[in-house]
Amino acid sequence: MTSARSLVASILGAVLSAAPLICAQEVKPSEVSVILPSRPVIQELGLRPQHPLNLLSLRVDPAWAPVIYAHDLSRYREFPFGTSLLAVAKQAGMEPSAAKMIHQRPAIIQELSWQPQRFPGSSLDADSVKEVLFSFYNGELFRMVVNYDRYKTEGLTTEDMIGAISASYGTATRPAEEIMFPAIYNESVKTIARWEDSQYSFNLVRSSYQPSFGMVGFSKRLDTLARAAVTEALRLDTEEAPQREIERQKKHEEETHVQQEKARLANKASFHP
């Protein structure tokens, strides 16, 4: 009896041992599913461990970024480039009619000379500027030529001037260039120092005819337009000069004839032989 029970137990053990193999043969390959362990979240997001020093390179929200002061080259004192002739004249305490007409075609070029001493509330002894020449292109301020008072700048070196102007306009450059200085004489002078950006330029100069310093500031866009207009105006003046001379001579002859005829009639009535 005992032997029979042992035989049955052996058979059952063999059957149970072969069961996994039998089941595996009955399962199709397409039904096999492999369950892999999930990857760590940090790998799924593509993140890498950060070195403490790398944290310094994180971008700062613009709303919290510090405000960097930029020097304003769009104006000289209270006068911004692009301002109308009427506004500049009012600011300077002058009449617009004081502006001088330089060219009328193909664009209107005007100039207005201003002495700061005439500005309301200014002191004659306080200002280092002797005169500012404003130039307008079709009524817009495109250039300012500053003539400094020779007595208020006497003894000042080039470095003194550059340092003082840099306080308002930032770091200067020293270009090896010349610029037109439309003062008493239109002359080409060396640029001592320059302050500029993409839109505006200020140039410290010194005339060979004057012992004092000067500065030429302009709007690059308007100055380019004004230069082209002046070049065309001069070309037209040269081209039309002969015809204008003929017309001038003709007008002179007509006026002379009228005067002579008037005198003839008066003398004829009063003449006695």
Side-chain angles (χ1 to χ4, degrees), residues 54-89:
N54 291 340
L55 298 177
L56 297 178
S57 63
L58 294 178
R59 300 179 65 180
V60 180
D61 188 334
W64 295 94
V67 178
I68 300 176
Y69 175 76
H71 295 280
D72 185 8
L73 279 78
S74 67
R75 65 179 59 231
Y76 177 74
R77 297 191 177 184
E78 303 88 359
F79 304 97
F81 290 109
T83 306
S84 69
L85 170 59
L86 294 177
V88 170

Side-chain angles (χ1 to χ4, degrees), residues 173-242:
T173 59
R174 309 289 184 95
E177 301 176 9
E178 292 190 344
I179 189 173
M180 184 61 65
F181 186 45
I184 298 178
Y185 303 96
N186 285 330
E187 58 174 326
S188 182
V189 297
K190 179 182 178 181
T191 300
I192 300 174
R194 175 175 294 166
W195 297 262
E196 68 175 343
D197 57 18
S198 61
Q199 301 182 66
Y200 309 103
S201 178
F202 282 91
N203 302 266
L204 180 65
V205 299
R206 196 163 198 170
S207 171
S208 57
Y209 297 97
Q210 302 179 47
S212 60
F213 291 93
M215 187 163 64
V216 181
F218 56 88
S219 160
K220 294 182 178 181
R221 180 184 67 85
L222 293 175
D223 184 69
T224 298
L225 296 175
R227 286 177 180 271
V230 170
T231 299
E232 178 63 12
L234 294 175
R235 186 192 70 80
L236 292 174
D237 288 346
T238 301
E239 183 180 271
E240 298 171 358

Side-chain angles (χ1 to χ4, degrees), residues 41-271:
V41 175
I42 192 171
Q43 294 179 355
E44 293 290 343
L45 297 177
L47 299 177
R48 296 180 180 178
Q50 294 288 336
H51 189 281
L53 292 180
N54 291 340
L55 298 177
L56 297 178
S57 63
L58 294 178
R59 300 179 65 180
V60 180
D61 188 334
W64 295 94
V67 178
I68 300 176
Y69 175 76
H71 295 280
D72 185 8
L73 279 78
S74 67
R75 65 179 59 231
Y76 177 74
R77 297 191 177 184
E78 303 88 359
F79 304 97
F81 290 109
T83 306
S84 69
L85 170 59
L86 294 177
V88 170
K90 181 179 180 180
Q91 184 74 16
M94 301 177 64
E95 293 296 329
S97 58
K100 179 181 178 182
M101 182 69 69
I102 306 300
H103 297 289
Q104 290 183 301
R105 45 65 187 278
I108 297 176
I109 306 296
Q110 296 168 281
E111 292 181 349
L112 180 66
S113 180
W114 171 63
Q115 295 179 347
Q117 291 83 359
R118 296 175 57 184
F119 189 80
S122 65
S123 172
L124 181 64
D125 296 327
D127 208 315
S128 299
V129 174
K130 179 180 180 181
E131 182 182 37
V132 179
L133 181 64
F134 299 106
S135 297
F136 301 87
Y137 167 81
N138 284 339
E140 291 185 83
L141 178 62
F142 77 90
R143 183 180 63 200
M144 289 176 272
V145 179
V146 181
N147 287 286
Y148 292 104
D149 192 301
R150 58 178 297 185
Y151 299 107
K152 302 297 189 303
T153 58
E154 185 176 7
L156 294 181
T157 66
T158 298
E159 297 303 321
D160 292 334
M161 294 293 295
I162 293 175
I165 298 173
S166 294
S168 298
Y169 294 128
T171 304
T173 59
R174 309 289 184 95
E177 301 176 9
E178 292 190 344
I179 189 173
M180 184 61 65
F181 186 45
I184 298 178
Y185 303 96
N186 285 330
E187 58 174 326
S188 182
V189 297
K190 179 182 178 181
T191 300
I192 300 174
R194 175 175 294 166
W195 297 262
E196 68 175 343
D197 57 18
S198 61
Q199 301 182 66
Y200 309 103
S201 178
F202 282 91
N203 302 266
L204 180 65
V205 299
R206 196 163 198 170
S207 171
S208 57
Y209 297 97
Q210 302 179 47
S212 60
F213 291 93
M215 187 163 64
V216 181
F218 56 88
S219 160
K220 294 182 178 181
R221 180 184 67 85
L222 293 175
D223 184 69
T224 298
L225 296 175
R227 286 177 180 271
V230 170
T231 299
E232 178 63 12
L234 294 175
R235 186 192 70 80
L236 292 174
D237 288 346
T238 301
E239 183 180 271
E240 298 171 358
Q243 182 60 33
R244 286 202 306 273
E245 178 60 25
I246 292 174
E247 294 175 355
R248 187 195 67 79
Q249 185 64 30
K250 181 179 180 180
K251 182 179 180 180
H252 175 70
E253 292 175 354
E254 290 175 352
E255 291 175 348
T256 301
H257 176 72
V258 170
Q259 291 176 356
Q260 289 179 344
E261 183 63 18
K262 183 178 181 180
R264 186 184 73 84
L265 294 176
N267 291 332
K268 182 179 180 179
S270 61
F271 179 76

